[in-house]
Amino acid sequence: MILKKVPVGGKNAKHWIKLLDAPDVATRRFAVEKLHGVENAEVARAMVGQLRHPDRTLREEALLSLSGYDVGRSALLEHMLEADDVDRVWLLARALVRASKDFSTAQRTKIFTQATKWHDGKDRRAAPLLFLLHEMDHAWTRDQLEAKAQELRKKKKYADAIGYYKLLAQDPACSEETRFELAATGLKESTHDLSPDHRQSDPSLNQFTRLLQNAAFDLLGHINQAKWLGPEELFYVGFHFAEQTHRAKEFGKQVLELVVKRSPKTDLGKQAKRKLKSEGLT
């Protein structure tokens, strides 16, 4: 083929781009191969157009080419943020992982903003964006999620804050402080039903149980410092753990004593005293 010997550059790229509309997939793949290395926006847009072609090899070659230079990555990024189905977002996120360290802070922030928008709307497209963000900069992404969760918690948007704390808790390296925030914020959404069945299935109480397994973590100290937890939440926690054994029982006692100390003349304070007595903790 005579065209194989024709050099391709920015000046004549527009003529090669026309081949990307050819009905023959072999012609399209040939054009992708020749345009590889021509790094301009017009070529990038034309390459993105190949990502919806049914031929897998063509799609993969276009993805490889686009992820190799800044303008191409930017085009892929915009296409990913505009994609309307989760499978396509996953495809693009995985393709961009190979160049995850080459994105700017501004681009990373743009991805995070869209990820939070989709997450807040319970849109599954948030997951691939968060996956890509973790690959870009795990520590930065963690810090952004923590800041978002704390912001929502301070605004008393507890259910929304829990959603972000759950994302953080999926990380095996999640800190005990973050797990405490998840547990404590969960108390704000709990019905505080004292029936045994409800308490056994309460996610926030289960998180406290997990934290108690770490003797080095000062759980009571964190409870003391969380002034945003009211007597209702504290009584609920103390009531539950006062019925447990060993360290958990001692923790329950200390929390009930905190309720008595902070609210001695209220109904909850009196109930806390009665619970301490009935469990033999006075």
Side-chain angles (χ1 to χ4, degrees), residues 160-228:
D160 293 335
I162 290 169
Y164 284 95
Y165 282 127
K166 284 182 176 179
L167 288 176
L168 289 160
Q170 291 172 6
D171 186 346
C174 176
S175 69
E176 299 290 58
E177 284 74 16
T178 297
R179 291 195 183 281
F180 172 78
E181 288 286 339
L182 172 59
T185 306
L187 291 174
K188 289 292 187 177
E189 288 295 296
S190 171
T191 61
H192 304 153
D193 185 336
L194 294 176
S195 65
D197 288 345
H198 175 82
R199 286 187 282 125
Q200 287 300 323
S201 61
D202 189 315
S204 60
L205 293 180
N206 290 334
Q207 285 292 334
F208 278 112
T209 299
R210 178 171 180 166
L211 289 167
L212 277 167
Q213 294 172 5
N214 182 358
F217 183 71
D218 184 9
L219 184 52
L220 185 66
H222 280 72
I223 287 276
N224 258 309
Q225 292 173 12
K227 303 300 182 183
W228 48 277

Side-chain angles (χ1 to χ4, degrees), residues 81-86 89 114-115 118 123-130:
L81 297 180
E82 294 171 359
D84 56 6
D85 70 89
V86 66
V89 180
Q114 186 61 58
W118 282 341
D123 191 319
R124 293 190 302 134
R125 289 177 293 174
L129 294 192
L130 290 169

Side-chain angles (χ1 to χ4, degrees), residues 31-64:
V32 168
E33 179 184 350
K34 294 291 286 186
L35 287 166
H36 184 74
V38 181
E39 303 177 359
N40 65 46
E42 188 177 8
V43 170
R45 286 193 296 271
M47 288 282 197
V48 167
Q50 306 310 299
L51 301 181
R52 293 193 179 277
H53 195 278
D55 185 79
R56 180 176 179 178
T57 302
L58 175 63
R59 296 196 307 268
E60 291 177 347
E61 289 175 353
L63 277 173
L64 181 62

Side-chain angles (χ1 to χ4, degrees), residues 44 47-49 51-52 63 66-67 71-100 103-104 106-118 123-136:
M47 288 282 197
V48 167
L51 301 181
R52 293 193 179 277
L63 277 173
L66 285 164
S67 61
V71 176
R73 287 190 290 271
S74 295
L76 279 179
L77 173 59
E78 293 304 319
H79 187 55
M80 178 179 67
L81 297 180
E82 294 171 359
D84 56 6
D85 70 89
V86 66
D87 290 337
R88 176 157 293 274
V89 180
W90 269 116
L91 172 71
L92 295 167
R94 291 190 177 105
L96 288 169
V97 162
R98 63 178 71 115
S100 61
F103 283 93
S104 67
Q107 288 173 316
R108 196 169 57 205
T109 301
K110 187 172 185 177
I111 297 171
F112 183 80
T113 299
Q114 186 61 58
T116 58
K117 180 179 178 180
W118 282 341
D123 191 319
R124 293 190 302 134
R125 289 177 293 174
L129 294 192
L130 290 169
F131 159 76
L132 178 58
L133 286 166
H134 281 296
E135 293 295 321
M136 286 181 175

